[in-house]
Amino acid sequence: MIKNISNLQAKLQELIITQKNLPTQGHVADYIPALAEVSPKLMGISVATIDGNVIGAGDYQIPFSIQSISKVFGLVMAMNRIGDDLWQRVNMEPSGQPFNSIIQLEWEKGIPRNPVINAGALLISDVLTSRFSASKLAFLSFMRSLAGDDNIYIDNHVYQSELSHGSRNAALAYLMKSFGNIDAEIPDVLSHYFTQCSISMNCQQLATSLLFLANKGIDPKTQKVICTPRDAHRVNAILSTSGMYDQSGEFAFSVGLPAKSGVGGGVIAIVPGYGVICTWSPPLNKFGNSVAGTKLVSGLAEELGLSIYH
Ligand code: GLN
């Protein structure tokens, strides 16, 4: 662990320079057309520690579409709202399938494998839509309060783009409804889900807002209880086994941190007892995970000896 924060700052800078000098690998997501408009060259990293340091390098203050990183926050909100009933409706196993796969969902009678693949996040969106009178606003408020920043916003251009290209997510939601595992109206569930995916945040805001997961559920900035220690453990466990989709095994094998990616190119990694790393680089690999973002996390984790399996 680098204790001296200016040494860590220099390390982040070095990692960004090294990555930026490598040829670009991967492709920016284009199945949501608005995401394809983002420059593949942008790249940032930020580290927030539970003892109050927040540092970054590269484009760490430029907002990007958080996409599936929003699934972490949705999961926490749903756990807080309905408790253990949630686990009657969604499982906690890795899927070994692409994030938007539909095949397993029929075999398993409309019960998603876990809350961080699309089917699971749509199920969570149903819980939030059904249990909050204004779920989108509640979600945005949750994000703003965790980041301590009221300027965090929903990118309407991304939202509209997702809505008009959301057939696969609609199919997942309708299939779950056919098994009786969705309560609300499907257009409302989809609207909630696309809204949370369309939130824009930068690396610094994301790293800061997830500190509670590195601190047994307590936000170290405010001392507020965001979730129970048991639920912080559970979220971290799910992120370790499923957060990088069908690359989660390899990521655990080579890095060993609870992590979550989004098709906007963001990756967050939780270091329990220490802090949170957030990286961003839009080009994705075949699993839908940022190529350079994943390398930045693994480079830093290796450098600092960060792994939950030590
Ligand atoms: N909104 C995206 C989708 O539903 C989120 C996927 C992701 O970030 N992996 O396809």
Side-chain angles (χ1 to χ4, degrees):
M1 210 80 85
I2 297 185
K3 287 281 176 213
N4 181 320
I5 209 71
S6 55
N7 290 352
L8 184 55
Q9 172 72 53
K11 178 48 66 189
L12 299 187
Q13 197 68 42
E14 189 188 312
L15 284 166
I16 287 281
I17 291 169
T18 310
Q19 269 310 313
K20 278 208 173 193
N21 283 332
L22 294 173
T24 304
Q25 284 182 299
H27 300 281
V28 179
D30 57 7
Y31 76 100
I32 300 168
L35 296 181
E37 296 164 17
V38 180
S39 166
K41 300 271 173 234
L42 293 164
M43 193 184 289
I45 183 167
S46 181
V47 175
T49 64
I50 56 180
D51 57 10
N53 289 303
V54 187
I55 55 171
D59 304 307
Y60 73 106
Q61 285 175 320
I62 297 185
F64 60 89
S65 191
I66 68 169
Q67 291 296 319
S68 284
I69 298 174
S70 69
K71 293 169 178 171
V72 183
F73 301 92
L75 173 58
V76 173
M77 282 179 79
M79 287 168 116
N80 283 342
R81 202 69 173 185
I82 67 167
D84 283 350
D85 287 352
L86 183 63
W87 306 107
Q88 304 297 315
R89 295 177 60 189
V90 59
N91 225 316
M92 66 287 278
E93 296 300 335
S95 71
Q97 301 290 324
F99 65 82
N100 55 4
S101 170
I102 199 164
I103 296 173
Q104 219 165 29
L105 194 59
E106 175 156 34
W107 285 119
E108 301 187 353
K109 304 200 175 349
I111 309 284
R113 268 288 165 118
N114 67 64
V116 295
I117 50 173
N118 283 18
L122 287 160
L123 185 286
I124 300 263
S125 297
D126 177 53
V127 170
L128 301 180
T129 307
S130 309
R131 298 299 183 108
F132 285 86
S133 55
S135 66
K136 299 179 208 172
L137 200 58
F139 200 99
L140 185 63
S141 303
F142 187 49
M143 305 302 285
R144 286 177 169 172
S145 74
L146 285 174
D149 190 339
D150 282 344
N151 293 318
I152 289 170
Y153 62 97
I154 295 157
D155 184 331
N156 192 46
H157 178 52
V158 173
Y159 173 78
Q160 294 299 339
S161 188
E162 287 217 54
L163 194 60
S164 50
H165 293 80
S167 307
R168 183 172 273 266
N169 285 314
L172 289 165
Y174 278 111
L175 184 59
M176 286 190 284
K177 187 137 182 121
S178 78
F179 283 104
N181 201 17
I182 293 280
D183 295 325
E185 295 304 321
I186 300 296
D188 297 337
V189 173
L190 292 173
S191 178
H192 174 95
Y193 175 66
F194 295 142
T195 299
Q196 69 171 54
C197 288
S198 304
I199 290 175
S200 274
M201 287 170 77
N202 63 35
C203 292
Q204 181 174 322
Q205 290 165 332
L206 276 169
T208 328
S209 63
L210 285 165
L211 279 169
F212 70 97
L213 288 179
N215 195 39
K216 296 186 160 61
I218 297 169
D219 185 339
K221 310 183 293 299
T222 57
Q223 294 306 316
K224 267 197 217 156
V225 176
I226 309 300
C227 66
T228 62
R230 187 188 68 161
D231 281 350
H233 159 97
R234 288 177 163 188
V235 174
N236 285 332
I238 285 169
L239 297 185
S240 299
T241 53
S242 309
M244 301 295 276
Y245 306 119
D246 38 342
Q247 197 182 7
S248 298
E250 188 208 314
F251 191 80
F253 187 86
S254 56
V255 181
L257 292 175
K260 184 77 211 79
S261 62
V263 290
V267 180
I268 60 91
I270 313 293
V271 190
Y274 176 68
V276 180
I277 305 165
C278 179
T279 65
W280 174 48
S281 164
L284 310 177
N285 63 18
K286 65 175 180 185
F287 305 106
N289 299 327
S290 169
V291 180
T294 306
K295 285 194 187 146
L296 286 167
V297 173
S298 65
L300 187 63
E302 194 177 316
E303 192 71 41
L304 304 189
L306 306 173
S307 160
I308 58 168
Y309 302 115
H310 280 153

